[in-house]
Amino acid sequence: MATGPRSTESGRWARDRGALWREAPCALTVVLGPYADAPISLRGTGAELWAALARPGTASELAARLADDAHTDVEIVRRDIEPVLDGLAAAGAVRPDP
Amino acid sequence: MRRAVASYGLDDATAMLPRGMIDAATWPRFLAAIARDRTTGHLIRAVSDRALPTTTTQTAAVVDAHERALARDLLLERLLLRAVAALDDAGIPLRVLKGAAVAHTVYPNPDLRSFGDADLLVPGRRFDDAVAALRRSGATRRYSEPRPGFDARFGKGVCVVQPDGWEIDLHRAFVAGPFGLAMDPDELFLDSTPFELGGRTLHGLDAHARFVHACFHAALGSDPPRLAALRDVAQMALHTELDGALVADLGDRWRCGIVLQRAIHLTWTAFGVRVEPPVVRDLRRHRPSRFERRALAAYLGPHRSYARQAVAGLRAVRGLRAKAAYTGALLFPTSGYLGAREGGRARRLARAAGLLRRTDMQR
């Protein structure tokens, strides 16, 4: 599996054009990066993160959008989504947005 | 219950979900059947909408089952994209068939249509080039053809196995046998329905050919028919723009009106759909020709087989020279083909005699 840049860097993130995914009810999303060995299953906040990535953003911006929707503390959301972003980046499903 | 799940969300379907929870003893068999039917996308909606009451454990099991189905869909789509890239590099026109194309162009959300294989259609004149292009990427044909050039001229297609074991069905026509030989596959490249996948624009069949193909799959595929195939027919007939005259025209020219009629009958019966759009009413009125009735018999019943369809296909081959080439390939295939599929020439002759007896009895 490729190792991508980590989400703690200050750059913006976007879905990779080569990523394949399905969004389903019950907050289920499944994503396959172009070079990943296996799909990644996202549930709950992870699925919301993938939906939010329809518009590129930094980890902080993405966390702010999700926190705003869920009326939750943005730092808590950011801590939740950073490892998910790292996993998606490692799978090549997201990439730094120039 | 399986029919109610497969028709969930269709306008006016009367197959009903149970009002109460499914008991713990029945649940595992029910969920396994839905997974086999590849209709977990409809089930998860029924659960999410609370149209099917479930326990917390049952809901979690539905989400897990759908997750597995979606993971497989995505892996198949990547396989498809790699095959498309190889064929594009070789300059071969193609159309994406069935699962992936239908998921992305017919349903409101692609997760509603799971699938089990990757299907591509290429023109007969480029069929051998397409097989060669996929073989260059390490794939192998599952079966050899009766004689060189047979598949490109008369065959349905070939299954190509990738080095990692995944398979691509490379088609020349929708089916083997008389209906596959009566159609004109070159027409399928005149128009298309484009869709985006993995940063690429792919092309599925145009809406009318796509509907005809869905009917072939529903009417001539598995027996009993797969519920996902019936749902495709209903979804297209009820929720896409179809011109009944254009569908009837394809049915007439490809001598397959009886196939479309059978698909409609199976679908409307299975799901108890009350509404009948014009395309359905027109197909119900179709009067099958003698050719159509005899051709259909080759695909149905306990004796259905590839060999039986191949024998029945002779009637659909146009021209004496073509008939001779077709018959010659079937009667005198290469020894490699015989060894792989028939277990030797003597066994093939015995089977051929049996097939001819049965074909004669049906006349």
Side-chain angles (χ1 to χ4, degrees), chain B residues 10-278:
Chain B
L10 273 180
D11 291 344
D12 287 318
T14 56
M16 298 294 288
L17 291 163
R19 293 184 178 203
M21 285 195 194
I22 299 173
D23 64 77
T26 309
W27 175 262
R29 273 183 285 120
F30 166 74
L31 188 57
I34 297 301
R36 278 196 303 276
D37 289 340
R38 301 198 182 106
T39 53
T40 52
H42 303 297
L43 178 62
I44 199 171
R45 274 165 181 77
V47 170
S48 174
D49 297 344
R50 300 183 194 282
L52 178 67
T54 48
T55 65
T56 308
T57 308
Q58 288 173 341
T59 301
V62 170
V63 176
D64 286 348
H66 195 42
E67 178 192 308
R68 286 192 293 275
L70 298 182
R72 183 177 176 84
D73 294 344
L74 296 182
L75 289 166
L76 283 166
E77 285 186 347
R78 185 163 67 186
L79 173 73
L80 196 70
L81 283 167
R82 289 176 179 169
V84 167
L87 297 175
D88 272 354
D89 287 348
I92 297 169
L94 61 91
R95 294 287 180 265
V96 182
L97 296 179
K98 299 204 289 192
V102 171
H104 287 278
T105 64
V106 173
Y107 288 88
N109 190 318
D111 87 287
L112 281 161
R113 177 60 161 92
S114 284
F115 40 94
D117 41 27
D119 296 85
L120 289 170
L121 176 91
V122 296
R125 67 183 183 284
R126 300 300 310 277
F127 190 84
D128 291 337
D129 296 336
V131 174
L134 295 178
R135 290 179 76 167
R136 279 196 294 277
S137 61
T140 53
R141 295 179 66 117
R142 179 183 264 181
Y143 297 115
S144 54
E145 54 189 335
R147 293 199 77 81
F150 181 88
D151 285 349
R153 192 172 180 191
F154 303 117
K156 170 193 176 185
V158 66
C159 176
V160 179
V161 185
Q162 302 297 304
D164 54 10
W166 290 88
E167 296 176 347
I168 294 170
D169 289 335
L170 194 63
H171 295 250
R172 182 201 72 90
F174 288 167
V175 287
F179 290 124
L181 289 160
M183 66 183 292
D184 179 6
D186 285 347
E187 280 190 45
L188 301 171
F189 295 89
L190 299 177
D191 201 356
S192 74
T193 305
F195 62 99
E196 298 295 317
L197 190 67
R200 246 178 201 274
T201 301
L202 303 184
H203 294 270
L205 300 174
D206 73 81
H208 297 92
R210 184 180 62 197
F211 176 68
V212 170
H213 189 207
C215 288
F216 269 70
H217 193 40
L220 307 180
S222 307
D223 184 18
R226 291 193 75 96
L227 290 171
L230 300 183
R231 174 63 190 247
D232 285 348
V233 172
Q235 189 76 23
M236 291 178 205
L238 293 167
H239 294 290
T240 65
E241 296 275 327
L242 286 175
D243 182 331
L246 289 178
V247 171
D249 179 54
L250 280 177
D252 286 344
R253 285 188 295 110
W254 293 353
R255 306 168 82 184
C256 64
I258 196 170
V259 178
L260 314 185
Q261 190 173 58
R262 175 175 162 80
I264 289 295
H265 171 74
L266 291 169
T267 303
W268 257 245
T269 303
F271 297 152
V273 183
R274 286 178 298 224
V275 65
E276 291 206 346

Side-chain angles (χ1 to χ4, degrees), chain A residues 30-54:
Chain A
V30 184
V31 180
L32 180 63
Y35 306 107
D37 294 332
I40 296 172
S41 179
L42 304 172
R43 309 262 181 115
T45 307
E48 291 167 16
L49 169 64
W50 185 259
L53 278 162

